[in-house]
Amino acid sequence: MLYIDCPYCGSRGHEEFTYIGDATKKRPDSAEKSDSAWFDYVYLRDNPRGPHLELWHHSLGCREVVKVLRNTLTHEILGAGRPGDEIAMPDAETER
Amino acid sequence: MAEYSVFSLVRNALTGHKNWQRAWRDPEPKPSYDVVIVGGGGHGLATAFYLAKVHGIRNVAVLEKGWLGGGNTGRNTTIVRSNYMLDDNSHFYEKSLQLWEQLSHELNFNVMFSQRGVLNLAHSDGQMDRFARRGNSMRLNGVDAELLDRNQVKKMVPHLDFSEEARFPIYGGLLQPRGGTARHDAVAWGLARGADRLGVDIIQNCEVTGFKRSGNRIEAVETSRGTIGCGKIGFAVAGNTGYLASRLGLKLPIESHVLQAFVSEPLKPFFDHVVTFGAEHFYLSQSDKGGLVFGGDLDMYNSYAQRGNLPTIDHVMRAGLAMVPSISRLRLLRHWGGVMDMSMDGSPIIGKSPIDNLYLNCGWCYGGFKATPGSGWVFAHTIAEDAPHPLNAGLRLDRFERGHLIDEEATGAVPGKH
Ligand SMILES: Cc1cc2nc3c(=O)[nH]c(=O)nc-3n(C[C@H](O)[C@H](O)[C@H](O)COP(=O)(O)OP(=O)(O)OC[C@H]3O[C@@H](n4cnc5c(N)ncnc54)[C@H](O)[C@@H]3O)c2cc1C
Ligand SMILES: [Zn+2]
């Protein structure tokens, strides 16, 4: 089990959550006309081996969206917060 | 290296099996190769084999960071089928199935390909309609498919839950009789031996860690066993594609996720086919050693860890019990995880990359084992000719940008599809 520190509910097992995915993707402005901006947003992923910023929906809890920093190689959870929060990346390039 | 035959078997049996020769060499890497394939799974090995055999390109190295078949090739549940609906997948996977049908002969190595039939269960009228549509599409593409009703399924696999209490009653199913399973290790070993016999250098314990570039080309790869020059280079590293691509500054429509699989203690033969549950994600077959081999869904979060988590195990077991209640007291022997290269439309990517001499083979999602020979066949062609084979022309990387997705599930851009 992964334990995610929900900013509203505290530490909860990950089976209460639904994984949404990469938190670094920003939806382009709806006036954006270039195909490449939308292509990047919809399809491309950094897919890092190491720290990954991601969104989880606390679907069986408070039903809020939680931002989580998690290492994809070790599954260690390095931080969690609200979607707008800045979560600090670990300094050392922990094996990207 | 000697041909395997009934005579070599008898001869070696009479001498106590002490004189078998090694099946492939263990060469030191040369300073450079015409083609370097990164990844010694089934796809990399099949590519090297067909490069040498069909295209006459023999100055080829396969670089593997661990041991042969230690990636997903050795971790999967070995189901082989070609029951796809969309043309680009259908023709490609059918070619692969046809190659499977002759692979043991072609390699002089028994890959234990067993065409025991793959049956997908349906649990509602809507699902039956969908299967009728998929089955018809398959038949129009020359692929075998049979729609079975409840009674036909019951005759074929009596141990499924046909009771009144079944949570998900069985309405029928779609059968591909030519589908089945193969022995995963034998596939890696047979292809390795076949490629080696044609002159390919298979280099294990050799991790690619970086690249030497000049302009828009890759001149050489940096590895844990030194720098190796390359004329052309192909990636066949499954779930590690994202990592290697990031070393080149390439972003791909792929996420790496973990998928688990399970095997039970051995039983006498009782489950003759491959059966997939239609209400949940679960599928089951019985191995030649008697163990029940089964799997379910991804753990559903990005992972490079090659190990999964308990909630998914619980979920898979529940689905298994709903499909086959009689396995409730069976003990689990082993379980493991593999790192899956999940593409954003659920279909593979085989083709050229934005770098001139780099070719990509990735995005296999849940189902790349069945593609092993077909993938090698078209990838070898793509590398040799610097142009796709007609069978992978649609599987190109730029299909996402052009809007030509191959989305069997029709659920949009998500990296969790089958
Ligand atoms: C649990 C599970 C069940 C599955 N079930 C099925 C199934 O029933 N049917 C089906 O068709 N498919 C199935 N699959 C998918 C299938 O196993 C894969 O798609 C397929 O085996 C991929 O083959 P490959 O040769 O591309 O990759 P792999 O066999 O993973 O080979 C890639 C190789 O690249 C090596 N490598 C990685 N990075 C580097 C590097 N930097 N330098 C050198 N080498 C490197 C790895 O060590 C690995 O050996 C399953 C997968 C899993 C994990
Ligand atoms: Zn919460």
Side-chain angles (χ1 to χ4, degrees):
Chain A
M1 189 77 74
L2 309 176
Y3 288 95
I4 297 175
D5 211 1
C6 174
Y8 310 99
C9 313
S11 173
R12 297 297 174 95
H14 83 278
E15 58 183 350
E16 286 186 14
F17 294 79
T18 309
Y19 183 67
I20 300 176
D22 190 331
T24 64
K25 300 310 277 191
K26 293 273 174 294
R27 189 183 167 90
D29 191 274
S30 48
E32 175 64 59
K33 290 216 173 55
S34 95
D35 284 349
S36 63
W38 287 102
F39 167 59
D40 184 297
Y41 168 68
V42 176
Y43 296 110
L44 297 183
R45 298 291 181 267
D46 285 338
N47 193 24
R49 184 167 95 186
H52 184 234
L53 265 182
E54 55 201 27
L55 297 175
W56 292 74
H57 181 212
H58 198 180
S59 42
L60 298 180
C62 61
R63 302 194 57 78
E64 294 290 336
V65 172
V66 179
K67 186 150 111 184
V68 177
L69 183 66
R70 187 181 56 92
N71 186 317
T72 59
L73 189 59
T74 61
H75 294 173
E76 185 190 358
I77 296 199
L78 305 163
R82 290 168 300 185
D85 290 352
E86 286 288 328
I87 302 176
M89 282 276 170
D91 330 319
E93 230 232 340
T94 339
E95 179 60 334
R96 223 217 82 132
Chain B
M1 251 154 259
E3 250 339 77
Y4 294 150
S5 68
V6 68
F7 304 108
S8 71
L9 192 61
V10 170
R11 200 168 51 243
N12 281 287
L14 293 175
T15 52
H17 291 296
K18 288 191 186 115
N19 299 318
W20 289 105
Q21 292 170 22
R22 64 182 304 150
W24 58 85
R25 296 165 298 130
D26 182 22
E28 281 301 312
K30 289 192 251 177
S32 82
Y33 292 89
D34 293 341
V35 179
V36 164
I37 303 291
V38 188
H43 290 214
L45 294 165
T47 305
F49 175 68
Y50 290 122
L51 272 173
K53 179 157 182 187
V54 179
H55 303 279
I57 301 177
R58 297 185 172 199
N59 185 22
V60 175
V62 177
L63 309 183
E64 166 55 48
K65 74 173 172 181
W67 65 95
L68 282 186
N72 292 348
T73 298
R75 293 168 184 268
N76 77 93
T77 44
T78 76
I79 300 171
V80 175
R81 57 188 171 87
S82 64
N83 53 359
Y84 286 80
M85 190 170 79
L86 303 179
D87 285 353
D88 287 309
N89 279 332
S90 178
H91 296 302
F92 167 71
Y93 283 110
E94 176 56 20
K95 168 71 183 180
S96 195
L97 186 55
Q98 289 169 10
L99 290 170
W100 276 111
E101 287 172 330
Q102 61 194 49
L103 198 60
S104 293
H105 278 286
E106 184 166 14
L107 295 176
N108 177 234
F109 200 103
N110 188 359
V111 301
M112 298 168 79
F113 183 45
S114 155
Q115 292 180 289
R116 56 185 70 181
V118 172
L119 174 66
N120 305 131
L121 299 177
H123 309 270
S124 67
D125 286 329
Q127 222 170 0
M128 284 299 281
D129 289 347
R130 260 190 26 228
F131 280 172
R133 177 168 179 241
R134 175 141 61 97
N136 285 335
S137 306
M138 288 166 64
R139 293 172 76 122
L140 286 171
N141 278 330
V143 182
D144 58 320
E146 286 172 31
L147 192 65
L148 306 185
D149 64 21
R150 179 178 162 93
N151 285 330
Q152 288 169 302
V153 172
K154 192 169 178 180
K155 232 191 203 149
M156 198 175 138
V157 201
H159 351 284
L160 302 176
D161 192 352
F162 288 99
S163 70
E164 290 297 312
E165 296 82 51
R167 173 79 176 77
F168 301 103
I170 293 166
Y171 279 52
L174 184 64
L175 174 69
Q176 183 179 22
R178 284 164 61 245
T181 60
R183 169 102 169 96
H184 48 7
D185 294 328
V187 173
W189 299 335
L191 285 167
R193 174 169 169 272
D196 177 274
R197 294 212 292 179
L198 295 170
V200 171
D201 279 0
I202 293 168
I203 301 167
Q204 301 181 70
N205 299 311
C206 180
E207 176 169 12
V208 172
T209 52
F211 304 91
K212 273 216 173 92
R213 292 177 68 164
S214 100
N216 198 30
R217 294 181 62 80
I218 297 172
E219 300 279 288
V221 291
E222 319 269 10
T223 79
S224 50
R225 296 180 67 174
T227 303
I228 302 174
C230 57
K232 295 177 175 178
I233 171 168
F235 285 178
V237 293
N240 286 290
T241 307
Y243 174 70
L244 274 191
S246 76
R247 291 274 169 213
L248 288 162
L250 285 182
K251 267 201 214 180
L252 298 174
I254 286 184
E255 284 187 5
S256 297
H257 283 254
V258 59
L259 181 68
Q260 306 192 54
F262 310 84
V263 64
S264 77
E265 58 190 332
L267 297 175
K268 292 243 167 92
F270 105 112
F271 212 85
D272 300 334
H273 311 89
V274 179
V275 180
T276 74
F277 200 25
E280 268 295 343
H281 203 165
F282 179 84
Y283 55 92
L284 181 68
S285 67
Q286 187 167 17
S287 83
D288 294 316
K289 284 190 274 185
L292 298 188
V293 180
F294 52 96
D297 247 328
L298 299 175
D299 277 31
M300 292 295 176
Y301 44 79
N302 291 50
S303 173
Y304 281 88
Q306 278 196 164
R307 76 184 137 74
N309 226 310
L310 286 168
T312 302
I313 299 179
D314 182 54
H315 189 101
V316 171
M317 301 307 147
R318 284 166 194 267
L321 287 189
M323 187 174 103
V324 199
S326 58
I327 62 174
S328 67
R329 291 167 65 195
L330 203 61
R331 274 166 302 191
L332 202 61
L333 209 61
R334 291 189 293 128
H335 80 103
W336 60 90
V339 185
M340 316 287 286
D341 35 337
M342 305 302 298
S343 72
M344 297 299 269
D345 66 356
S347 296
I349 298 165
I350 318 175
K352 299 173 68 157
S353 80
I355 294 172
D356 290 343
N357 60 341
L358 171 68
Y359 304 84
L360 295 176
N361 174 318
C362 55
W364 290 102
C365 299
Y366 287 80
F369 179 69
K370 66 173 118 67
T372 303
S375 161
W377 181 269
V378 300
F379 198 41
H381 179 105
T382 307
I383 294 172
E385 306 289 329
D386 190 35
H389 186 280
L391 287 170
N392 66 318
L395 302 175
R396 51 207 277 180
L397 175 62
D398 68 5
R399 70 172 184 267
F400 298 89
E401 200 160 1
R402 295 181 308 124
H404 289 255
L405 304 188
I406 310 169
D407 183 354
E408 296 270 342
E409 290 180 11
T411 49
V414 281
K417 296 174 193 236
H418 230 220

